Amino acid sequence: MLRISRAHWQAMIDHALEEAAKPAEACGLLAGELGDFDVKAVYPCANAAPPEKQDLVYELDSGDYLKADRDAQANGWEIIGVYHSHTHTEALPSPTDIAQAPDPSWHYILVSTRHPAAVVRSFTIVDGQVAEEPLVLERPPAR
Amino acid sequence: MPVEVRLPTVLRQHAAGQSSVRANGSTIGEVFEDLLRQFPLLAGQVITEDGTLHKFVNVYRNDDDVRFLDKLATPVADADVVTILPAVAGG
């Protein structure tokens, strides 16, 4: 399971809708404590894929990743997952998402903007095996 | 001279669980050769069989992605920090 604050959940949807208008896939990183299931921070990142392909693929900007990683480390967190959006398809990992999943310990959040209301789902991807996990909304912790 | 090499969570299992290690070299490539000598399980994770930088990782010298510098030939000095992160992409 993955637990996320309403504000972080909304931030991912807002980012996805903003990029969908281009249209492009949005992407970003999730931070938390290693081995825990609470998302402590969401870092929207730039999609560095060629502009003409951004509606179908994403490449998380390497500079944005470094900044997010440093901020997470400074707070005692690690990057524990990634979110990205699908503009034309459902909130399910694509074959490319599965093949390129970088870390079996990560959580993979998919946001679909295909329908009028955005759909958000979370998955684990271990050795090519996809499993959906509960995505639980909670009040943001005091920071 | 040794530089600090920071490892992402996915690679730490191949480096005795450490998040940060030290390796010697005057270029990124030399640092990685020393890294692989210390942690042979990292073979194939950072450098391809052809001896080039693996496309599934991002490597940084301090704030800069070495793909935009001189890749494995990028020089490193004593106080530099080399960071390895997964390249994150999908469809």
Side-chain angles (χ1 to χ4, degrees):
Chain A
M1 117 175 181
L2 191 65
R3 196 160 55 182
I4 191 164
S5 74
R6 189 164 288 275
H8 286 146
W9 180 78
Q10 190 63 50
M12 293 188 300
I13 292 175
D14 290 348
H15 187 201
L17 290 173
E18 193 181 308
E19 293 298 307
K22 291 182 178 176
E25 292 194 359
C27 59
L29 294 161
L30 314 170
E33 286 170 26
L34 211 54
D36 192 16
F37 48 73
D38 279 318
V39 174
K40 296 285 176 61
V42 166
Y43 301 103
C45 296
N47 182 347
E52 69 278 11
K53 293 184 180 170
Q54 285 183 7
D55 61 331
L56 291 173
V57 298
Y58 79 98
E59 290 172 25
L60 197 129
D61 182 81
S62 66
D64 285 355
Y65 189 169
L66 185 66
K67 283 184 209 140
D69 188 67
R70 288 202 176 143
D71 186 79
Q73 300 272 343
N75 284 286
W77 307 323
E78 297 283 354
I79 299 301
I80 59 165
V82 58
Y83 74 88
H84 80 280
S85 64
H86 285 168
T87 57
H88 308 303
T89 57
E90 300 298 330
L92 294 168
S94 67
T96 315
D97 296 332
I98 297 165
Q100 299 185 7
D103 188 326
S105 75
W106 276 15
H107 304 270
Y108 297 85
I109 291 183
L110 273 293
V111 181
S112 172
T113 56
R114 180 184 196 180
H115 304 291
V119 176
V120 185
R121 298 168 73 174
S122 186
F123 303 85
T124 57
I125 304 174
V126 180
D127 294 333
Q129 296 298 307
V130 178
E132 184 160 16
E133 61 178 355
L135 183 61
V136 178
L137 280 185
E138 70 152 13
R139 282 176 189 280
R143 258 185 80 180
Chain B
M1 297 297 271
V3 296
E4 181 184 0
V5 182
R6 302 182 63 89
L7 301 172
T9 52
V10 68
L11 294 185
R12 291 176 198 167
Q13 59 184 311
H14 303 306
Q18 299 176 88
S19 59
S20 171
V21 299
R22 297 193 78 80
N24 287 289
S26 58
T27 61
I28 295 283
E30 287 178 19
V31 167
F32 285 168
E33 280 174 29
D34 187 42
L35 188 70
L36 291 179
R37 266 194 295 274
Q38 297 180 60
F39 304 105
L41 293 174
L42 284 171
Q45 303 286 338
V46 182
I47 304 290
T48 65
E49 285 181 6
D50 301 334
T52 57
L53 196 56
H54 211 301
K55 68 173 181 171
F56 295 130
V57 292
N58 295 324
V59 174
Y60 310 83
R61 183 190 66 189
N62 303 324
D63 294 344
D64 299 312
D65 186 331
V66 303
R67 277 200 182 83
F68 305 122
L69 299 174
D70 214 358
K71 303 187 174 82
L72 290 175
T74 303
V76 292
D78 207 8
D80 286 340
V81 176
V82 176
T83 304
I84 305 171
L85 293 173
V88 183

